[in-house]
């Protein structure tokens, strides 16, 4: 199971090159990094998803990102003032 997120990261890197401004690709990359417990990388891609136009509320409420909800950086990125 540990290899599945790693494989997803590789595939999603290719997708990121094809669609560098895709909020969904950034979000899926955040999921893959989070599954590997690579929180900093996951947060970087959460931020990219927001910059690419994914609503902050969508990210804040995403059950796949629930492990980040206590993280100060995640809370800053998804703050209601930016929703």
């Amino acid at each position: 199971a540990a290899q599945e997120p790693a494989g997803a990261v590789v595939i999603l890197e290719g997708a990121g090159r094809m669609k560098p401004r895709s909020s969904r690709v950034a979000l899926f990359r955040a999921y893959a990094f989070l599954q590997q417990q690579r929180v900093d990388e996951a947060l970087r891609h959460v931020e990219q998803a927001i910059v690419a136009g994914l609503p902050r509320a969508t990210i804040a409420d995403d059950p796949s990102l629930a492990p980040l909800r206590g993280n100060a950086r995640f809370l800053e990125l998804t703050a209601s003032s930016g929703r």
Side-chain angles (χ1 to χ4, degrees):
Q3 287 184 322
E4 290 176 17
V9 168
V10 171
I11 292 168
L12 289 166
E13 284 175 5
R17 284 190 293 276
M18 289 187 291
K19 294 188 173 199
R21 291 180 179 82
S22 169
S23 62
R24 291 293 174 183
V25 170
L27 183 62
F28 295 149
R29 290 177 84 180
Y31 294 160
F33 282 119
L34 186 57
Q35 287 179 344
Q36 292 179 329
Q37 299 179 9
R38 295 168 60 182
V39 173
D40 290 339
E41 290 98 333
L43 289 168
R44 184 165 40 94
H45 291 290
V46 165
E47 184 172 17
Q48 287 178 1
I50 292 168
V51 169
L54 196 62
R56 293 171 193 265
T58 299
I59 292 171
D61 297 336
D62 189 320
S64 295
L65 298 175
L68 295 175
R69 290 190 184 135
N71 181 286
R73 179 73 179 131
F74 183 77
L75 294 173
E76 179 183 313
L77 289 169
T78 59
S80 62
S81 63
R83 286 186 183 185

